[in-house]
């Protein structure tokens, strides 16, 4: 069997719903290695169609095409890709060199698509270029070469993978007569080296240089004439055999990224503008997240400055009370069952009450005064790991009935409580912490009574505080004036009166009431255990301090506003995605011929897609880096400005935000690039090569 054999080849082109144009009609041909065959015919005769089929660019035909005893008409895509890489080399009339690549990169392109190692592909390419007289042209771009030099580069690209077949489409059509002869000499020597060379031409002068002329007209072979032995030419070009060929693989991701970078460099100005546009959205999102984090950190830091880091304030909740009541009911029922077994039937026991707070509005979060701790609760909290001590306390809140009386004048206050371990001498601007039968009042309450707060030290006042449905009152000496600083919570927001737990117990005893604690202060063994204790307290069903609750509420509201602002800023990402999609679509149109060339020399659909996705990845990466950089600069300037006015910083751009910004930018860009990449991958190589 001949090296290349065509049997009963027919090709049809659809020209309507039910009509087809018969372009090739029962073609039978066979070729051997070492032949220089010219296929000639008028325009529209079918010679280019035949060339495309023999070159594996068009697989929609009937009949058989055998190459080295394999039927390429039955090839899968993977096999056809290998056929392009190993068996076929194309030389085009219009050269089809990639304009933004150097001469050396144009030649190595075929091996780059085969993932041949860098050293091998450069060595091979330089050897071929030097043989073709292009020793000094390696680093030049195609537009710096003459027509003859460009065609030599195209020949070098066709030869670099050492294919068995060279198909040249009008290789001298764009050259003058002298340069044409030089190119034909090279092509003849390629055939003499043992390769099958097929020229597609309409030039009789070119055909005369062949060893065989096949004439085609209206899709039929009308003449197949052997011309005899080729005339020897001057050995200005001696084709040296290449070293042992490396096994062809596929385009690597790193090679795809390099090719994408080279293309982006060619359109540098445009790509910089795209990256800048994309960076605006990333910058906005990172800034909003940094602002939210910064404000939240400021709020938390302010809170921590006004509390003892070893103290955890804890309150009862409805869930905890219900749990305790349920446990007590179960214990009583068990006792009843045991009694029934030993003493006979007994009446059912009903434990009344559900621990619900009575009355209407109970004040801000964490200020309820109806839920009291019992002995079991205290023991449960004491058993938490790393708890050092437990201090019981009391706090209540009233909008109208809490008041202090001084010199027959009443002054209302809202928050009443016992002294907590959180209160330190730094919170007392005048006087000192109260002892037995003494109270401490807030600065605002003191100044409402006297012009100057310090004048109230040592004065006696009558304190009235609402306890359920009763009003308890007693006369006490003011020991100190308290300032909450920037603390959050009732004691930091509302006017307050504080006394010791011992004084509070005495107040209750005078009224014949039992003293109950509704707040517990837990002391941690070390600051590092405080967070774990808080989590354990929460798991047991207890509530944190009013400050913690309010801080959590503020943090949640802040998070909501941050997400809303981030979402608004994210709209610009959609605009960026549309911009990237549009630009990459334009890039596909601009590079249609380049895509056709890559497919002709062995580029898979996956390779084409990978190159364009790599380009969108790089755009997203550079946009993200630029956006994060701008956000960092703006947050730095913003913090300097705000710190100079308010002595605080409100932008906190964490590494996580920076990484998230770059990641989101890449994802958005890659998603936007998928459609253009798929469009490029699906281009018909025949149609792509025809595009000017």
């Amino acid at each position: 069997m001949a090296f290349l054999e065509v049997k009963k080849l027919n090709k049809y082109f659809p020209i309507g719903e039910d009509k087809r144009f018969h372009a090739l009609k029962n073609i039978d041909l066979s070729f051997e290695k070492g032949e220089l065959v010219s296929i000639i015919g008028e325009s529209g005769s079918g010679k280019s169609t035949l060339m495309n089929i023999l070159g594996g660019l068009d697989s929609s035909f009937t009949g058989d095409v055998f190459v080295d005893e394999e039927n390429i008409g039955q090839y899968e895509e993977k096999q056809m890709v290998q056929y392009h890489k190993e068996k076929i080399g194309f030389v085009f009339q219009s050269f089809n060199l990639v304009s933004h690549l150097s001469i050396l990169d144009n030649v190595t392109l075929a091996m780059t698509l085969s993932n041949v190692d860098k050293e091998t592909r450069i060595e091979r390419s330089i050897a071929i270029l030097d043989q073709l007289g292009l020793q000094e042209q390696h680093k030049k771009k195609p537009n710096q070469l003459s027509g003859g030099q460009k065609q030599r580069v195209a020949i070098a690209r066709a030869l670099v993978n050492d294919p068995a077949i060279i198909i040249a489409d009008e290789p001298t059509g764009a050259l003058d007569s002298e340069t044409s002869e030089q190119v034909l000499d090279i092509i003849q020597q390629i055939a003499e080296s043992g390769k099958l060379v097929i020229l597609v031409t309409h030039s009789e002068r070119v055909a005369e240089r062949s060893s065989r002329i096949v004439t085609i007209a209206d899709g039929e072979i009308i003449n197949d004439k052997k011309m005899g032995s080729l005339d020897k030419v001057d050995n200005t070009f001696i084709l040296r055999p290449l070293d042992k060929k490396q096994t062809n693989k596929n385009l690597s991701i790193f090679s795809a990224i390099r090719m994408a970078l080279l293309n982006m460099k060619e359109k540098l100005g445009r790509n910089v503008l795209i990256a800048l546009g994309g960076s605006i959205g990333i910058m906005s999102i990172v800034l909003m997240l940094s602002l939210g984090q910064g404000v939240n950190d400021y709020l938390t830091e302010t809170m921590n400055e006004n509390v003892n880091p070893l103290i955890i304030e804890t309150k009862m909740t409805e869930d905890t009370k219900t749990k305790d009541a349920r446990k007590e009911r179960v214990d009583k029922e068990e006792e009843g069952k045991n009694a029934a077994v030993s003493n006979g039937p007994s009446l059912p026991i009903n434990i009344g009450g559900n621990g619900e707070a009575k009355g209407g509005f109970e004040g801000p979060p964490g200020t309820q005064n109806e839920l009291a701790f019992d002995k079991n609760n205290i023991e449960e909290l004491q058993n938490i790991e790393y708890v050092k001590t437990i201090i019981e306390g009391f706090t209540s809140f009233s909008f109208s009935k809490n008041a202090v009386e001084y010199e027959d004048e009443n002054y209302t206050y809202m928050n009443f409580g016992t002294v907590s371990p959180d209160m330190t001498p730094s919170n007392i601007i005048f006087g000192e912490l109260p002892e037995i039968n003494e109270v401490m009042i807030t600065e605002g309450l003191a100044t409402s009574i006297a012009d100057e707060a310090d004048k109230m030290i040592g004065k006696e006042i009558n304190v009235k505080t609402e306890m359920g449905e009763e009003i308890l009152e007693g006369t006490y000496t003011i020991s100190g004036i308290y300032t909450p600083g920037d603390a959050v919570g009732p004691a930091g927001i509302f006017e307050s009166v504080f006394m010791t737990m011992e004084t509070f117990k005495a107040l209750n005893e005078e009224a014949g009431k039992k003293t109950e604690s509704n707040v517990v202060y837990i002391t941690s063994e070390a600051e590092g255990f405080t967070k774990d204790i808080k989590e354990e307290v929460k798991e047991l069903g207890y509530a944190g301090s009013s400050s913690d609750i309010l801080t959590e509420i503020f943090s949640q509201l802040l998070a909501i506003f941050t997400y809303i602002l981030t979402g608004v800023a994210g709209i610009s990402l959609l605009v960026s995605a549309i911009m990237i999609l549009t630009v990459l679509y334009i890039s596909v149109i601009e590079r249609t011929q380049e895509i056709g060339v890559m497919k002709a020399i062995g580029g898979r659909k996956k390779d084409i897609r990978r190159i364009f996705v790599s380009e969108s990845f790089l755009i997203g990466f550079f946009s993200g880096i630029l956006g994060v950089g701008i956000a960092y600069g703006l947050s730095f300037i913003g913090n300097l400005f705000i710190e100079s006015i308010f002595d605080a910083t409100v932008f906190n751009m964490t590494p996580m935000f920076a990484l998230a910004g770059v990641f989101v930018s890449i994802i958005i860009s890659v998603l936007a690039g998928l459609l253009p990449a798929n469009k490029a991958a699906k281009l018909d190589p025949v149609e792509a090569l025809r595009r000017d």
Side-chain angles (χ1 to χ4, degrees):
M1 178 178 278
F3 178 70
L4 191 158
E5 189 169 359
V6 179
K7 295 181 178 180
K8 302 299 180 183
L9 178 63
N10 286 273
K11 172 67 180 179
Y12 297 89
F13 289 104
I15 56 175
E17 293 183 0
D18 300 318
K19 295 182 180 180
R20 296 187 302 171
F21 172 68
H22 201 172
L24 294 178
K25 305 169 184 176
N26 295 315
I27 302 294
D28 288 302
L29 286 170
S30 62
F31 305 99
E32 296 290 351
K33 287 184 177 181
E35 284 191 285
L36 175 54
V37 182
S38 287
I39 300 177
I40 65 172
E42 300 296 329
S43 296
S45 61
K47 60 184 185 297
S48 294
T49 302
L50 178 59
M51 178 198 73
N52 291 331
I53 292 174
L54 297 180
L57 300 179
D58 187 347
S59 58
S60 177
F61 59 85
T62 61
D64 299 307
V65 178
F66 292 93
V67 177
D68 204 10
E69 300 185 353
E70 291 188 3
N71 191 347
I72 69 171
Q74 297 177 355
Y75 275 178
E76 300 290 338
E77 181 186 2
K78 183 178 180 180
Q79 294 172 300
M80 187 60 74
V81 166
Q82 291 304 113
Y83 176 68
H84 287 150
K85 289 178 178 178
E86 298 175 358
K87 295 291 180 66
I88 291 290
F90 285 96
V91 180
F92 302 101
Q93 176 182 353
S94 55
F95 321 125
N96 285 350
L97 302 178
V98 182
S99 61
H100 62 269
L101 297 180
S102 68
I103 299 308
L104 183 61
D105 284 337
N106 265 280
V107 177
T108 60
L109 182 59
M111 287 188 290
T112 300
L113 292 171
S114 299
N115 199 27
V116 176
D117 65 87
K118 183 178 180 180
E119 182 180 353
T120 300
R121 66 176 183 255
I122 290 177
E123 182 181 347
R124 287 186 181 185
S125 299
I126 290 176
I128 293 291
L129 287 169
D130 290 351
Q131 289 178 61
L132 292 169
L134 297 170
Q135 293 91 337
E136 306 297 326
Q137 317 299 329
H138 299 168
K139 296 182 180 180
K140 291 184 178 180
K141 295 291 181 67
N143 60 6
Q144 296 175 289
L145 303 184
S146 65
Q149 290 173 320
K150 290 179 183 178
Q151 196 59 286
R152 289 175 185 235
V153 175
I155 293 171
R157 182 179 61 194
L159 290 172
V160 75
N161 269 343
D162 198 16
I165 305 170
I166 299 294
I167 296 179
D169 181 16
E170 299 284 4
T172 61
L175 306 176
D176 58 55
S177 58
E178 182 179 352
T179 306
S180 295
E181 290 299 319
Q182 294 172 355
V183 170
L184 288 173
D185 286 346
I186 294 171
I187 290 175
Q188 183 177 328
Q189 290 177 70
I190 293 172
E192 290 174 353
S193 71
K195 299 184 185 299
L196 170 60
V197 180
I198 301 174
L199 298 178
V200 177
T201 182
H202 63 270
S203 170
E204 294 288 345
R205 181 176 59 84
V206 171
E208 289 174 356
R209 296 289 301 269
S210 306
S211 61
R212 178 180 170 188
I213 299 176
V214 176
T215 306
I216 186 170
D218 297 326
E220 297 181 289
I221 303 298
I222 60 173
N223 192 20
D224 187 350
K225 181 174 66 173
K226 290 188 179 292
M227 302 294 291
S229 301
L230 295 171
D231 295 331
K232 294 293 181 181
V233 297
D234 295 335
N235 290 325
T236 54
F237 164 61
I238 301 174
L239 183 66
R240 295 192 295 271
L242 297 173
D243 297 333
K244 184 179 179 180
K245 293 197 294 184
Q246 181 167 315
T247 302
N248 286 323
K249 301 178 184 178
N250 295 312
L251 181 70
S252 69
I253 185 65
F254 298 106
S255 296
I257 290 175
R258 179 180 179 273
M259 294 178 69
L261 277 171
L262 289 173
N263 181 66
M264 291 175 68
K265 183 180 177 182
E266 179 70 11
K267 305 289 183 181
L268 184 61
R270 183 173 73 185
N271 286 303
V272 167
L273 290 176
I274 296 171
L276 182 61
S279 70
I280 294 174
I282 299 301
M283 175 267 294
S284 302
I285 289 177
V286 173
L287 268 184
M288 291 302 102
L289 292 174
S290 300
L291 178 62
Q293 183 67 45
V295 173
N296 190 61
D297 289 347
Y298 173 74
L299 181 64
T300 304
E301 184 179 350
T302 302
M303 276 292 303
N304 291 336
E305 287 177 353
N306 292 276
V307 297
N308 188 331
L310 297 176
I311 303 300
I312 301 100
E313 183 180 330
T314 307
K315 288 180 168 58
M316 293 289 290
T317 64
E318 299 290 349
D319 291 340
T320 313
K321 271 296 183 186
T322 303
K323 179 188 71 174
D324 293 342
R326 190 182 301 115
K327 183 177 182 299
E328 184 178 354
R329 185 180 297 112
V330 170
D331 292 341
K332 290 290 186 181
E333 289 175 354
E334 288 296 326
E335 290 177 6
K337 289 178 182 178
N338 294 334
V341 171
S342 58
N343 302 320
S346 64
L347 294 175
I349 297 174
N350 180 28
I351 305 299
N354 56 10
E356 292 182 357
K358 301 175 182 178
F361 178 72
E362 298 170 342
T367 61
Q368 296 92 336
N369 57 14
E370 294 291 335
L371 303 179
F373 286 84
D374 60 25
K375 182 180 178 181
N376 292 331
N377 300 131
I378 300 299
E379 289 178 354
E380 184 176 45
L381 293 172
Q382 183 68 64
N383 290 331
I384 296 175
E385 192 174 8
Y386 307 124
V387 169
K388 185 176 181 181
T389 60
I390 295 285
I391 299 175
E392 298 182 50
F394 185 86
T395 182
S396 67
F397 188 91
S398 174
F399 265 105
S400 59
K401 296 182 180 181
N402 285 351
V404 296
E405 183 181 351
Y406 178 72
E407 295 182 351
D408 299 326
E409 292 287 340
N410 285 323
Y411 304 89
T412 60
Y413 68 96
M414 295 184 183
N415 185 62
F416 172 83
T418 57
V419 175
S420 72
D422 273 341
M423 295 177 178
T424 62
S426 63
N427 297 113
I428 304 172
I429 55 175
F430 303 110
E432 56 189 14
L433 287 169
E435 300 291 341
I436 299 295
N437 294 325
E438 292 181 339
V439 294
M440 180 171 60
I441 64 175
T442 51
E443 182 181 10
L445 180 57
T447 55
S448 68
I449 300 174
D451 294 337
E452 298 179 12
D454 60 334
K455 291 182 179 180
M456 293 304 298
I457 300 297
K459 303 294 184 182
E460 286 192 350
I461 58 173
N462 188 46
V463 177
K464 301 175 184 178
T465 182
E466 181 181 11
M467 293 293 165
E469 297 179 356
E470 296 184 40
I471 302 295
L472 303 185
E473 61 179 296
T475 301
Y476 305 100
T477 302
I478 297 176
S479 69
I481 307 299
Y482 176 81
T483 178
D486 296 321
V488 178
I493 299 174
F494 304 105
E495 302 307 339
S496 306
V497 173
F498 304 99
M499 62 177 61
T500 64
M501 192 65 179
E502 290 76 7
T503 304
F504 178 63
K505 288 179 180 179
L507 177 64
N508 279 280
E509 289 175 1
E510 289 177 8
K513 292 177 62 67
K514 179 183 178 182
T515 303
E516 296 180 325
S517 58
N518 63 3
V519 61
V520 166
Y521 301 100
I522 302 173
T523 303
S524 171
E525 291 181 357
E527 187 175 346
F529 301 137
T530 302
K531 183 178 179 182
D532 294 334
I533 295 174
K534 281 186 176 182
E535 291 176 355
E536 180 68 19
V537 166
K538 188 174 182 181
E539 288 180 6
L540 291 172
Y542 299 94
S545 68
S546 55
S547 300
D548 289 339
I549 295 171
L550 287 173
T551 301
E552 185 176 350
I553 293 173
F554 291 152
S555 296
Q556 289 175 349
L557 290 174
L558 183 61
I560 292 171
F561 288 129
T562 300
Y563 292 143
I564 292 173
L565 292 174
T566 301
V568 172
I571 295 174
S572 59
L573 286 181
L574 178 62
V575 177
S576 301
I578 295 173
M579 178 178 62
I580 292 170
L581 187 148
T582 303
V583 170
L584 287 178
Y585 259 120
I586 294 172
S587 181
V588 171
I589 295 171
E590 291 175 341
R591 298 162 63 188
T592 298
Q593 198 173 67
E594 175 189 339
I595 295 167
V597 171
M598 285 193 287
K599 288 196 168 188
I601 61 179
R604 303 171 300 166
K605 289 181 180 179
K606 186 176 180 179
D607 295 334
I608 307 300
R609 188 182 298 111
R610 180 173 287 176
I611 291 170
F612 279 88
V613 169
S614 296
E615 192 167 329
S616 63
F617 167 84
L618 290 171
I619 290 173
F621 177 74
F622 292 133
S623 295
I625 293 295
L626 188 58
V628 168
I630 295 173
Y632 178 80
L634 291 177
S635 63
F636 179 77
I637 295 171
N639 279 334
L640 288 178
F641 177 74
I642 294 173
E643 191 170 11
S644 66
I645 300 176
F646 302 106
D647 193 26
T649 57
V650 295
F651 290 98
N652 181 11
M653 196 178 82
T654 66
M656 184 60 67
F657 292 158
L659 291 175
V662 175
F663 179 75
V664 169
S665 179
I666 290 173
I667 293 298
I668 293 294
S669 184
V670 169
L671 290 176
L674 287 178
L675 285 176
N678 286 328
K679 178 179 174 63
K682 292 177 181 178
L683 285 177
D684 184 340
V686 175
E687 295 298 325
L689 288 167
R690 289 175 182 168
R691 187 73 62 87
D692 293 331

